[in-house]
Amino acid sequence: MAETTDMTTDILIVGAGPVGLFGAYCAGFRGLRTVLVDALPQCGGQITALYPEKEIRDIAAVPGARGRDVVTALKDQADAYDPTYLLGRQAVTLTHALGGRPLVTLSDGAAERLRAGPGGARRP
């Protein structure tokens, strides 16, 4: 079993697909540190895994774009705020440790303690 580690973060997002990547961007834009956990070994969710070459036509203000291009743009946008990616791992349980801090256990046995609440890990 892997060791428990302390993550200094405000938000943990389960899923590094399009919505998770956009969530990481939005959080970073607001000065929040973010960790994304995804069972897949790469970002992009189903778009990357199943249809990277498919043209996506249901994004507001974008007439059409290949799946891989959409994922690349979303990841580049999120990466501007340095989120932490925990790929190839699945969030298994969420409990609360002493003091009320969330404790997320991952499929590889690692447990991540997260800072929570006001005054967390906001960027300077």
Side-chain angles (χ1 to χ4, degrees):
M1 182 174 273
E3 287 185 24
T4 298
T5 59
D6 280 313
M7 301 285 299
T8 303
T9 191
D10 292 302
I11 297 174
L12 183 135
I13 297 173
V14 177
V19 174
L21 291 169
F22 187 67
Y25 160 74
C26 290
F29 181 79
R30 287 162 179 78
L32 302 171
R33 293 192 187 272
T34 307
V35 172
L36 291 102
V37 176
D38 199 301
L40 295 174
Q42 71 281 332
C43 292
Q46 289 184 359
I47 291 175
T48 299
L50 301 177
Y51 43 87
E53 298 302 323
K54 181 179 179 185
E55 185 174 12
I56 298 174
R57 304 180 125 277
D58 59 354
I59 301 171
V62 178
R66 283 186 325 159
R68 86 170 60 252
D69 296 334
V70 171
V71 170
T72 297
L74 286 165
K75 187 169 182 314
D76 289 348
Q77 191 176 35
D79 284 349
Y81 299 101
D82 298 318
T84 299
Y85 296 99
L86 301 177
L87 303 175
R89 298 192 243 178
Q90 186 175 6
V92 178
T93 63
L94 170 64
T95 57
H96 288 83
L98 295 176
R101 286 179 61 188
L103 180 67
V104 177
T105 304
L106 303 179
S107 56
D108 64 359
E112 310 294 344
R113 285 193 191 103
L114 306 169
R115 184 175 289 180
R122 297 192 196 313
R123 295 175 190 270

